[in-house]
Amino acid sequence: MAGGSFAVQGPARNYEGGVTAFVVITCFVAAFGGLIFGYDIGISALVASFFASTVTRLFGRKKSMFFGGFVFLIGAILNGAAVNVSMLIIGRLLLGVGVGFANQSVPVYLSEMAPAKIRGALNIGFQMAITIGILAANLINYRTSKIEGGWGWRLSLALAAVPAIMIGGSLFLPDTPNSILERGHPEKAREMLKKIRGTNNVDEEFQDLFEASEAAKRVEPHGGTFYSHNTGLNWSFAA
């Protein structure tokens, strides 16, 4: 299965365009995917989703984030309403799938939306949201364990629906220029790059993205790594 990952390494070129409110808002909403990850670690077992990387690559980061949130929501509902062990097991499996999609798509989305000069600052929002999710899960566990009648566990599990609904906001987010370009729509990718960078002068950055995408296609069948010195993105692929 082929998948991609991005990391900031080495010097990155600064392109024209500032930090727009559009980028900040979209990255803020997307970062809430970390709440799903953190809450699930604190409440439920993690089930790896091996096909998340392929879905993220073929259908885009936005759809992958939304699907992860939707599946996580269904899992939370099943766990909160469970009347037997089977419902609990199925619910936890769905929670794991949701976490797998969020863990795959959210960091990539943040890295691709953010300008190179503040990519690390915006990407850390995912880690911060994970920590908040873990803290929230433990506080909720502590409080619900004191509920008389022994039904507090239902509330604890059902409240996982809250971060799932929040990541549902990804439905209204734009897809990244990288993802649009990967799916064969260069002009749409250029227009989106102009929008998120707040400038029409994106030729240099777009050319770097295009070259990186073409190089990735060449190495993908055999696996490998492509590093763009201009964008500061490390493209890694496993066959």
Side-chain angles (χ1 to χ4, degrees):
M1 178 188 312
S5 61
F6 304 82
V8 179
Q9 297 180 2
R13 182 180 299 177
N14 288 328
Y15 303 99
E16 183 175 332
V19 180
T20 63
F22 185 81
V23 167
V24 174
I25 292 173
T26 54
C27 287
F28 178 78
V29 174
F32 274 110
L35 286 177
I36 292 178
F37 188 79
Y39 199 96
D40 190 65
I41 288 177
I43 295 290
S44 307
L46 172 64
V47 178
S49 180
F50 295 106
F51 49 88
S53 61
T54 300
V55 174
T56 301
R57 177 170 55 86
L58 294 179
F59 298 99
R61 291 66 164 130
K62 168 186 172 179
K63 291 183 179 179
S64 183
M65 286 189 295
F66 178 75
F67 180 77
F70 177 76
V71 173
F72 197 89
L73 176 61
I74 300 301
I77 293 174
L78 285 177
N79 277 347
V83 294
N84 52 49
V85 175
S86 296
M87 286 184 69
L88 283 173
I89 293 175
I90 294 173
R92 289 196 173 209
L93 286 173
L94 292 177
L95 291 176
V97 171
V99 169
F101 272 83
N103 192 45
Q104 170 67 33
S105 57
V106 173
V108 175
Y109 183 92
L110 295 174
S111 295
E112 293 178 351
M113 286 294 290
K117 57 187 176 183
I118 62 165
R119 183 169 292 126
L122 289 180
N123 203 285
I124 202 66
F126 181 69
Q127 302 298 327
M128 182 182 69
I130 289 175
T131 305
I132 294 173
I134 294 173
L135 174 62
N138 283 280
L139 291 176
I140 290 171
N141 280 340
Y142 175 75
R143 297 296 297 177
T144 55
S145 66
K146 298 182 179 298
I147 296 177
E148 297 182 1
W151 58 272
W153 62 272
R154 290 187 181 276
L155 180 60
S156 180
L157 292 173
L159 283 175
V162 175
I165 292 173
M166 295 174 72
I167 192 59
S170 61
L171 181 64
F172 304 100
L173 298 180
D175 220 336
T176 67
N178 309 60
S179 179
I180 298 172
L181 190 59
E182 275 185 0
R183 302 199 303 276
H185 305 288
E187 290 306 315
K188 290 183 179 180
R190 183 190 294 271
E191 291 305 311
M192 180 56 65
L193 188 61
K194 290 179 181 179
K195 184 176 182 179
I196 66 176
R197 295 294 180 253
T199 177
N200 289 326
N201 188 14
V202 296
D203 292 344
E204 189 176 10
E205 183 176 4
F206 180 78
Q207 183 62 30
D208 287 338
L209 293 179
F210 182 81
E211 291 176 0
S213 178
E214 291 300 306
K217 292 177 182 177
R218 290 195 295 270
V219 302
E220 185 177 351
H222 307 289
T225 300
F226 174 78
Y227 173 68
S228 172
H229 291 280
N230 293 335
T231 62
L233 289 178
N234 195 42
W235 300 55
S236 301
F237 298 89

